[in-house]
Amino acid sequence: SGFTIDFRFINAGVSFHGPELRFDGVTLSWPDGEQIVAAERLVVSASVGAALFDKKIVPSRVLVEGSEIAAEVTASGELYLQGRSWRELLPPEQDDSPADIPDLQLQFSELMFSFKNSQVPAAPVVAGMLNSFEADLEDNLIEISADVQPGEELASQLNVAAEIPLRLLLRDEDVAADRAWNLFAELDDFRLDAWLRLLD
């Protein structure tokens, strides 16, 4: 993966997603030793299809439980996660083409988060809990669903579902202007004034 993984305990098993490794007390770090994230548990499931037909061991699902993440939109509009551009978490690009990202299911549960929009100098830092998050990447289309407690000043509950072409996130200039995508959000105890303070 290009990252360093330290863990307290490991075991293996099989689930609906295939054979998997389960790590407890996990720390994921950059190659230079700087920590990216710590988590109570990390589960990596292997793709049975890729093992049988392509003779490769590739992940089909990654689950992270009990962690914290800091996100920021910088003044230039770039999304940073844990203090670095989110693109640094992707496989490297080759020949000026977007990173080759395999079909994958990414899941988070019990994830504490903070968010800052630095494009709006007066915007407050938002802190909340991501109860569950799932992103399914297949055929260069990403489907997202999330159950979020964004903080009482914004709403008591936020549910999100989206279906977006992956290239729209990676290189939006390559996506036709009429390419369909959708986003659905449902909020309880919605506070419009607090949301507006996050925007320019």
Side-chain angles (χ1 to χ4, degrees):
S1 67
F3 305 113
T4 299
I5 300 177
D6 294 309
F7 52 89
R8 185 180 69 250
F9 181 77
I10 182 174
N11 65 19
V14 178
S15 74
F16 171 79
H17 302 279
E20 58 189 30
L21 294 175
R22 303 160 186 157
F23 305 88
D24 290 338
V26 178
T27 302
L28 184 68
S29 304
W30 298 101
D32 62 9
E34 180 184 351
Q35 179 178 306
I36 301 173
V37 68
E40 293 176 9
R41 169 167 272 208
L42 171 67
V43 180
V44 181
S45 307
S47 170
V48 174
L52 292 176
F53 300 112
D54 300 328
K55 308 301 183 192
K56 295 180 179 178
I57 302 298
V58 297
S60 60
R61 179 187 69 142
V62 175
L63 167 65
V64 181
E65 297 179 341
S67 187
E68 296 184 21
I69 193 167
E72 177 188 4
V73 175
T74 66
S76 63
E78 180 80 4
L79 175 62
Y80 271 49
L81 299 173
Q82 307 295 70
R84 295 199 191 191
S85 170
W86 71 281
R87 295 175 185 274
E88 294 186 45
L89 296 170
L90 300 176
E93 296 188 357
Q94 297 179 351
D95 300 327
D96 197 33
S97 62
D100 182 19
I101 303 176
D103 291 350
L104 179 70
Q105 185 178 74
L106 179 62
Q107 298 176 326
F108 291 95
S109 67
E110 298 180 4
L111 175 71
M112 300 291 295
F113 71 87
S114 64
F115 171 75
K116 171 69 175 174
N117 184 1
S118 295
Q119 290 185 308
V120 182
V125 175
V126 175
M129 167 73 83
L130 197 62
N131 296 321
S132 65
F133 173 90
E134 182 172 314
D136 285 310
L137 175 60
E138 187 172 358
D139 296 329
N140 291 315
L141 186 71
I142 186 166
E143 295 185 15
I144 296 171
S145 62
D147 172 11
V148 188
Q149 292 175 284
E152 292 184 359
E153 69 279 7
L154 295 174
S156 62
Q157 196 72 23
L158 166 63
N159 293 302
V160 176
E163 186 177 276
I164 305 169
L166 181 62
R167 294 183 77 87
L168 188 64
L169 301 177
L170 296 176
R171 293 169 65 123
D172 57 3
E173 69 273 11
D174 293 344
V175 179
D178 60 353
R179 176 66 188 267
W181 60 277
N182 64 69
L183 171 66
F184 170 83
E186 179 182 15
L187 297 101
D188 292 336
D189 298 325
F190 178 56
R191 307 281 194 270
L192 178 60
D193 58 334
W195 284 92
L196 292 177
R197 286 196 291 272
L198 301 177
L199 304 175
D200 185 358

